[in-house]
Amino acid sequence: SPERSVCSARAAVLLYDDTHGQWVPAGGGPQNLSCVQLYQHPGGTFRLVGRRMQPDQQVVLNCPLVAGLRYQQ
């Protein structure tokens, strides 16, 4: 069976830029809201996928959730 969406939220997705030591908008350009969805795969693993809420729906986040993952609210 295919993966299924467990939940979704609107969020500003930022990625940490190690070179400059700061958070920057994912996908480049101005910070815009994205639809971030949590997917569960048939094997029980999870993945976060974020798409901009603009007509192009650019994917700005595609991250597996693994043990030891660090995140900041």
Side-chain angles (χ1 to χ4, degrees):
S1 72
E3 65 188 14
R4 65 182 182 94
S5 177
V6 177
C7 63
S8 66
R10 290 182 188 190
V13 179
L14 303 172
L15 300 176
Y16 192 74
D17 180 347
D18 286 324
T19 304
H20 297 100
Q22 63 185 7
W23 292 93
V24 296
Q31 181 175 330
N32 294 303
L33 286 180
S34 297
C35 177
V36 178
Q37 293 180 283
L38 175 64
Y39 287 98
Q40 182 176 14
H41 295 275
T45 59
F46 292 88
R47 172 174 297 279
L48 284 175
V49 177
R51 292 180 181 87
R52 285 198 181 183
M53 297 183 70
Q54 295 178 334
D56 66 355
Q57 294 189 352
Q58 176 187 1
V59 174
V60 294
L61 176 68
N62 188 351
C63 176
L65 297 182
V66 296
L69 178 70
R70 293 178 56 200
Y71 67 95
Q72 180 175 343
Q73 183 174 354

